[in-house]
Amino acid sequence: MASSVNGTILLSFLQLFAQEHANSVKLMEITNSVREEKYFHTLIFISHPRTEEDETSFDLDILSKLVMENLEIPMLQWRKCSTVHLPIEIQRQIFAMVTLVGKKTKDKKTLKALWQSMRRIVTTRILLLTKESGSNEDYLSNIMGYCIENKAIQVLAMETSSNSESKIFEPEIFPKFKLNSYNIEAKPRFLFFKNLYKDMKGQPLNIAIMNRSSRAYSLREVDDQVYMGGYLGHLFTVFAEKHNSFIRKPAATENLPYYFLNSKSLEGLFANRTYDMMAEFSMDILHSNIDFSRIYDLVDLCLMVPVEKPVPLYKLYSITFDPSMIALLFSSTLIFAVLVALTFWIRDSPISLQDILVNVYVFNGLLGQAFPMTRTYAGLRSFVYLLICIHGIIFNTTLVTFLQTMKTSPLMERPIRNLADMEAAHLQFAILKDEYEAQINKTALQDYKHMAYVMANKKEFFTLRNNFYSRYAYVVPSDRWMLYEEQQKYFVRARFRLSKMCFVKIIAVSVPLQANSPFKTTLDAMIRRLNDAGIIKFWKSMAFWEALKMKSLQLRDTSRIYRFKPLALEDIRLLATLFGIILSFNCFCFFMELCWFYRIPLKLPLPKIKSFKGKKYLTWKS
């Protein structure tokens, strides 16, 4: 009797061992199939210790041995609710198996520990292991609904039975959650982890559309559906169409017009999970609790400065009579005065130093004016006078030609190329207060802060920049400058140009998404395909025409047209000032001549020397 009982127990153990071995072999085959679908380099097996209470536990030793011998995959074993923080970069290449014990609280605690270890759980493939039970399907529906709610969408459940048949449970999200079951033995080419968001079956996308954005904006609205424009907005429209979805009209748009947003603003935007994505650029901030798409564009943040203005007309005379011209005039006067004096010295005529240094007649001749000559003069002197006349014609013609040329084609002021030019021109640059505070300690803006004109009113800032108000320079992203550059091609004369003074150079910008966003993988794949096909570049080329259609840009020419005008009285202010100074000096000299001629005594106190006791003293006569 005892031997019969022992034999029965032995057969039960052998049957249990064979069943566990068969289940382990089945798991190894599934692991290999999953790896062929999409590569992973680490297998994580999460289980509870085997107890009499938990009859659904798998034998980890058998599974570990089979995986290590046949697949050569590194394997981690976690017991209970272990928490290990794994780098974000490797979470995409992890396959996790989790054994369920059939107790909701215990199993959810185990899954929560897994999600705490992986911040990007949406990319990790998870296989839940359970054994056949009467109410197993309802229980799995509850557990897998819990997974989907916490963004663990790459999840399957495997149920093993005593007849060596395995059943796979797969969730379906749209249009509402339900659980589908398959017998993998009946489907030899079964695809385990499908893209659950490939077909959203008409469910909406909630996208935060920014105010005043030139990259993504509402192009038209039909009922509750929004069609977006802009070279970024087209991405969301195409994404929604490809995945059988539509963009829902938001209840309110956010007034965040710049891509350079801080992490607090972004986290606050996605805090209540109202929005799935944001229709604006931002940087991939690694320490923020949100997701970002792959790089969509490279953006510079530079200063657009006013184009050089023509030199004022009253400065043309000072430019024409530059120091070299004045030096040439006076040196020629001195040379010709010496030559004229030599002609007198050859004839033994008396000459004075005053005739050489101050010869007004020669100076008049060099200016092209009439000047007196001696009544009888030798041939050499006449040749000198002829040279003076020719020199006067050349000098006067050249001077007038330069003046008229600069009048018809005015010279431009010095272009603004760097900070020193801005300081010399007393030109400040306008920047929004929010952006100034975000960049002041992170970018090259620190060197330019003393020239910054910080504006808190965003509407005023955009109005001034869009209308090319030339009192300030403006901070502008490179993609927005493309629109301004295209717009100014329709002006008679460009009003602004993009300088090389940049605060941020070649910054990679992406689309912000919710943390653990299920759209990240498909969105990244679409951005990669659009870039390879050149579609994004085409959208950028069409952004200007779309902006005109939306009337956010106008072709109204606000540039100043410079036409030829005759000189006015205010254009000779420098000459008038010089004439006034000379006239005042002449009047003073004339007055002194009169005083000298008529000997008008000047009642000025003059000193008088007196002597007292052999010593001389200086006294003043009253």
Side-chain angles (χ1 to χ4, degrees):
M1 185 68 179
S3 60
S4 176
V5 171
N6 292 336
T8 304
I9 295 175
L10 180 61
L11 289 175
S12 299
F13 275 111
L14 290 174
Q15 184 180 3
L16 180 62
F17 177 77
Q19 182 180 348
E20 290 185 346
H21 185 274
N23 291 336
S24 298
V25 171
K26 180 62 66 176
L27 285 178
M28 185 195 69
E29 293 175 353
I30 291 176
T31 302
N32 189 35
S33 300
V34 171
R35 196 183 192 192
E36 290 177 356
E37 286 181 9
K38 191 174 182 181
Y39 174 79
F40 65 86
H41 60 62
T42 303
L43 175 65
I44 298 178
F45 195 93
I46 305 171
S47 66
H48 291 266
R50 293 177 60 88
T51 62
E52 295 181 358
E53 183 183 12
D54 302 332
E55 297 179 356
T56 57
S57 298
F58 286 79
D59 193 333
L60 181 60
D61 297 333
I62 299 176
L63 179 62
S64 302
K65 183 178 180 181
L66 290 173
V67 170
M68 296 296 290
E69 289 179 353
N70 296 278
L71 300 182
E72 298 181 355
I73 300 175
M75 186 173 179
L76 300 178
Q77 302 176 11
W78 291 357
R79 296 290 186 181
K80 291 187 178 181
C81 300
S82 304
T83 301
V84 179
H85 293 283
L86 298 175
I88 297 176
E89 293 77 10
I90 70 171
Q91 293 177 18
R92 187 184 300 273
Q93 299 178 353
I94 288 178
F95 180 40
M97 292 185 182
V98 183
T99 59
L100 302 179
V101 297
K103 293 186 177 181
K104 186 184 299 184
T105 304
K106 202 170 185 179
D107 290 336
K108 286 186 177 181
K109 189 175 181 181
T110 304
L111 291 172
K112 187 176 180 179
L114 174 63
W115 299 334
Q116 289 176 350
S117 301
M118 301 182 183
R119 293 178 57 192
R120 299 297 184 264
I121 192 65
V122 70
T123 62
T124 302
R125 285 160 285 178
I126 303 173
L127 180 62
L128 307 178
L129 304 177
T130 182
K131 289 193 175 182
E132 187 177 14
S133 175
S135 59
N136 205 29
E137 188 167 345
D138 295 335
Y139 179 74
L140 285 177
S141 179
N142 185 282
I143 291 295
M144 297 187 77
Y146 179 71
C147 293
I148 299 298
E149 181 182 348
N150 288 273
K151 304 288 186 67
I153 61 174
Q154 298 287 323
V155 60
L156 293 177
M158 175 181 168
E159 180 187 81
T160 59
S161 59
S162 57
N163 55 6
S164 299
E165 291 184 356
S166 300
K167 187 184 292 186
I168 292 292
F169 292 89
E170 180 185 59
E172 184 177 332
I173 301 177
F174 303 106
K176 62 180 181 180
F177 176 80
K178 68 176 183 178
L179 205 61
N180 299 324
S181 61
Y182 305 95
N183 191 341
I184 58 176
E185 281 80 6
K187 293 186 175 184
R189 302 189 66 180
F190 181 76
L191 181 63
F192 285 91
F193 292 96
K194 303 180 181 67
N195 186 358
L196 300 182
Y197 283 81
K198 185 176 182 180
D199 185 4
M200 297 178 64
K201 298 182 180 179
Q203 297 301 303
L205 279 173
N206 297 312
I207 297 178
I209 303 176
M210 304 293 105
N211 286 336
R212 309 179 192 279
S213 175
S214 61
R215 306 179 184 98
Y217 47 84
S218 177
L219 194 61
R220 68 180 186 274
E221 299 177 4
V222 180
D223 297 331
D224 195 32
Q225 188 171 354
V226 177
Y227 293 90
M228 299 184 66
Y231 84 99
L232 175 60
H234 284 298
L235 170 68
F236 301 107
T237 300
V238 172
F239 183 83
E241 291 177 354
K242 180 175 176 58
H243 294 85
N244 192 15
S245 178
F246 68 92
I247 301 173
R248 177 185 289 168
K249 181 180 179 180
T253 54
E254 299 294 329
N255 191 18
L256 299 173
Y258 274 102
Y259 67 88
F260 204 101
L261 304 173
N262 54 43
S263 57
K264 292 183 179 179
S265 301
L266 293 174
E267 291 176 2
L269 185 66
F270 295 109
N272 56 1
R273 296 189 180 182
T274 303
Y275 299 111
D276 298 317
M277 311 176 196
M278 184 178 73
E280 189 55 87
F281 287 143
S282 182
M283 294 184 301
D284 190 349
I285 308 170
L286 296 178
H287 60 270
S288 64
N289 191 28
I290 58 175
D291 265 339
F292 293 88
S293 70
R294 66 179 288 123
I295 296 174
Y296 190 81
D297 197 8
L298 299 175
V299 179
D300 302 334
L301 193 65
C302 304
L303 287 179
M304 52 181 276
V305 297
V307 173
E308 302 75 38
K309 297 180 180 179
V311 175
L313 295 179
Y314 69 88
K315 291 185 178 180
L316 296 182
Y317 296 97
S318 60
I319 297 175
T320 306
F321 287 97
D322 59 350
S324 60
M325 187 71 72
I326 295 175
L328 176 62
L329 178 62
F330 281 99
S331 59
S332 300
T333 302
L334 180 61
I335 292 173
F336 282 108
V338 170
L339 292 177
V340 171
L342 286 176
T343 59
F344 284 96
W345 180 73
I346 293 175
R347 295 289 181 177
D348 296 330
S349 298
I351 57 174
S352 63
L353 186 62
Q354 180 180 356
D355 294 336
I356 298 176
L357 297 179
V358 186
N359 196 326
V360 181
Y361 301 146
V362 174
F363 186 75
N364 290 340
L366 293 179
L367 291 179
Q369 302 174 3
F371 63 98
M373 299 180 295
T374 57
R375 294 182 179 180
T376 57
Y377 48 83
L380 182 60
R381 193 180 305 165
S382 64
F383 179 71
V384 173
Y385 286 152
L386 179 61
L387 290 179
I388 293 174
C389 293
I390 295 174
H391 188 281
I393 294 173
I394 295 174
F395 184 83
N396 190 57
T397 304
T398 305
L399 190 66
V400 172
T401 303
F402 267 103
L403 189 62
Q404 292 298 329
T405 302
M406 287 187 289
K407 179 64 177 65
T408 54
S409 300
L411 298 176
M412 297 297 172
E413 294 180 346
R414 182 179 180 179
I416 298 174
R417 295 190 178 93
N418 48 42
L419 180 60
D421 294 337
M422 290 184 64
E423 293 174 345
H426 303 288
L427 178 69
Q428 291 182 300
F429 67 92
I431 184 173
L432 284 174
K433 183 179 179 181
D434 296 339
E435 189 174 4
Y436 179 82
E437 293 174 352
Q439 298 187 45
I440 185 62
N441 295 321
K442 299 178 181 179
T443 64
L445 182 60
Q446 183 73 25
D447 301 332
Y448 294 80
K449 65 178 182 179
H450 62 287
M451 298 300 295
Y453 179 70
V454 183
M455 301 180 68
N457 191 332
K458 297 179 181 178
K459 183 178 180 181
E460 180 185 2
F461 174 82
F462 288 112
T463 301
L464 294 178
R465 194 179 72 177
N466 292 341
N467 291 312
F468 301 105
Y469 186 61
S470 58
R471 183 177 179 181
Y472 305 105
Y474 300 95
V475 179
V476 60
S478 56
D479 55 346
R480 180 65 182 181
W481 170 251
M482 291 176 59
L483 302 183
Y484 290 146
E485 185 179 29
E486 192 69 26
Q487 182 183 7
Q488 292 184 99
K489 290 180 180 178
Y490 295 88
F491 293 177
V492 174
R493 183 174 179 269
R495 299 199 60 186
F496 276 79
R497 61 176 178 83
L498 189 66
S499 69
K500 294 184 179 180
M501 294 179 285
C502 298
F503 306 140
V504 181
K505 194 72 175 175
I506 313 180
I507 178 174
V509 290
S510 308
V511 177
L513 307 96
Q514 279 190 23
N516 284 320
S517 175
F519 302 103
K520 176 175 171 56
T521 303
T522 51
L523 185 64
D524 288 349
M526 176 168 284
I527 292 175
R528 182 175 60 252
R529 290 195 299 269
L530 292 174
N531 261 322
D532 294 342
I535 302 298
I536 295 179
K537 186 176 181 181
F538 171 74
W539 285 342
K540 292 179 75 172
S541 66
M542 296 298 294
F544 173 70
W545 302 107
E546 290 184 352
L548 287 180
K549 185 178 180 180
M550 293 297 296
K551 297 182 179 179
S552 59
L553 289 179
Q554 298 180 357
L555 295 182
R556 182 171 58 90
D557 189 358
T558 57
S559 61
R560 182 180 175 184
I561 301 176
Y562 295 97
R563 296 187 177 93
F564 176 78
K565 295 187 303 182
L567 289 175
L569 182 62
E570 60 268 15
D571 296 331
I572 58 173
R573 64 182 70 174
L574 288 180
L575 292 180
T577 303
L578 182 61
F579 177 76
I581 294 174
I582 295 175
L583 184 62
S584 301
F585 182 73
N586 290 339
C587 293
F588 175 76
C589 293
F590 177 71
F591 176 74
M592 295 304 295
E593 287 283 349
L594 290 177
C595 291
W596 179 259
F597 182 78
Y598 290 104
R599 302 293 195 278
I600 300 176
L602 298 177
K603 297 182 178 180
L604 298 175
L606 300 176
K608 184 178 181 181
I609 300 176
K610 292 184 179 181
S611 59
F612 180 74
K613 293 183 179 181
K615 296 182 179 181
K616 295 182 178 181
Y617 295 92
L618 188 64
T619 61
W620 294 86
K621 182 180 179 181
S622 59

